[in-house]
Amino acid sequence: MINEKFFLNLPKDFNGKVKIYPPTVKQVVENEYFSQYRYLLTITQEELEDEFLNKTNENGEPLTVPTPLEFLLATSYHNKEIEQVAKDAFYFFIKEPITFLYDRKEILIGDLEEIVKNASSLEDLKKMIMITEEEYFDFQNTIREALGEKKVEPPDPDEDPRVKRIKAKARYRDKVKAKKGMGITFGTLLVSICCMGIGINPLNVGELSYASVDSLIKTYQEKEKYETDIRALIAGADSKKIKPKYWIRNLDE
């Protein structure tokens, strides 16, 4: 179920610390680094477990799987190009610069040098806004919402290893299936929205929030199916086989 603020392209407050801005279709399409932004800020614990599966260190020991924040910080620390892309990713969504505090494993909202230079007392420094490890999971979920994606559930540290392996195999099968499938391109989705007769055309489709695209398409499909089923019943179709489902509802419930 899409967040109404993100649907209307409005920012949403995160923990009273920062606002998260949903990108428009135009901002996503024109930014060549968007896929990297999404990857760096929304990678899940399960995806990291998949990536680190069967990887070992120089002693042949399994590598410890990092948390999403640890992965972001470690990747940025060892590669300055990725560090800049990660900082740009935060700016893309929160419209503010950030500083990685590697030793503290935290993200400072703002430029540390500027904050220190402009601070007039120790109390000013104590007011620095941080995103901590404990908050980062919720931060990621808010970014997912801003992109029209579903929130993910926090990983269960006590989950049976056998269940984890089964889930990992299922995710792998889904990835293979997705690669083999034809899939509908984002461009095709935009063209489809322009043909819905709701006042969206190539001149203004770029102003839609990116988060709204998937919801608009799915709701329109449900509306079409409902209307088709009603017409079929009126024409004499078997009511035992066709069960119209009203299209105005929360589609993910």
Side-chain angles (χ1 to χ4, degrees):
M1 184 166 53
I2 189 168
N3 178 277
E4 59 273 17
K5 283 194 172 183
F6 291 149
F7 181 82
L8 295 174
N9 206 22
L10 298 172
K12 181 182 177 183
D13 180 78
F14 174 73
N15 287 4
K17 294 185 173 185
V18 69
K19 290 186 181 297
I20 294 179
Y21 294 78
T24 64
V25 166
K26 183 178 180 181
Q27 288 171 335
V28 167
V29 172
E30 70 183 2
N31 195 307
E32 60 181 311
Y33 295 103
F34 172 71
S35 61
Q36 294 179 55
Y37 294 172
R38 171 185 254 157
Y39 172 78
L40 288 171
L41 298 191
T42 66
I43 190 168
T44 66
Q45 189 66 50
E46 290 77 12
E47 288 170 333
L48 286 171
E49 289 174 0
D50 293 346
E51 286 196 20
F52 279 73
L53 188 66
N54 300 324
K55 290 186 178 181
T56 58
N57 59 22
E58 60 272 15
N59 298 320
E61 300 168 334
L63 291 176
T64 300
V65 181
T67 65
L69 180 57
E70 288 171 341
F71 174 76
L72 174 67
L73 293 175
T75 306
S76 299
Y77 182 79
H78 292 290
N79 188 313
K80 291 305 175 184
E81 289 185 10
I82 293 179
E83 180 185 51
Q84 187 57 57
V85 172
K87 288 182 176 181
D88 291 343
F90 276 92
Y91 194 86
F92 185 76
F93 286 102
I94 69 175
K95 311 304 180 190
E96 293 189 53
I98 60 100
T99 302
F100 292 131
L101 304 181
Y102 295 107
D103 293 338
R104 296 179 52 165
K105 205 163 74 172
E106 294 177 337
I107 299 169
L108 169 68
I109 305 301
D111 185 300
L112 181 59
E113 291 185 5
E114 287 297 316
I115 292 174
V116 171
K117 185 172 67 175
N118 296 324
S120 57
S121 67
L122 183 60
E123 289 302 313
D124 289 340
L125 295 178
K126 288 181 179 179
K127 295 177 183 176
M128 292 191 299
I129 300 173
M130 310 281 191
I131 295 177
T132 65
E133 176 76 81
E134 290 72 25
E135 296 173 302
Y136 191 65
F137 178 82
D138 290 334
F139 178 81
Q140 284 190 297
N141 263 339
T142 309
I143 294 294
R144 292 184 186 101
E145 275 193 293
L147 296 175
E149 299 175 4
K150 290 183 179 180
K151 293 182 179 181
V152 302
E153 294 295 323
D156 181 4
D158 300 319
E159 188 173 43
D160 189 318
R162 291 170 296 180
V163 175
K164 276 192 172 185
R165 286 195 294 271
I166 292 172
K167 288 183 177 179
K169 288 180 180 178
R171 288 194 297 271
Y172 177 76
R173 288 195 298 269
D174 289 343
K175 287 179 181 178
V176 172
K177 186 178 179 180
K179 287 181 179 179
K180 289 182 179 179
M182 295 298 291
I184 298 177
T185 66
F186 188 60
T188 298
L189 293 180
L190 297 184
V191 171
S192 300
I193 290 176
C194 290
C195 297
M196 287 182 181
I198 58 175
I200 302 299
N201 58 62
L203 299 179
N204 61 22
V205 69
E207 303 309 312
L208 289 175
S209 67
Y210 180 79
S212 70
V213 172
D214 190 55
S215 290
L216 285 171
I217 292 290
K218 287 180 178 178
T219 300
Y220 189 79
Q221 289 173 330
E222 288 296 318
K223 182 174 182 289
E224 274 193 324
K225 184 178 185 309
Y226 174 76
E227 292 174 345
T228 299
D229 286 347
I230 292 296
R231 285 196 294 269
L233 289 175
I234 292 174
D238 190 347
S239 61
K240 293 181 180 179
K241 294 181 179 179
I242 297 179
K243 304 289 184 182
K245 203 168 184 179
Y246 194 53
W247 61 278
I248 299 180
R249 64 183 193 278
N250 295 328
L251 300 181
D252 54 354
E253 293 180 359

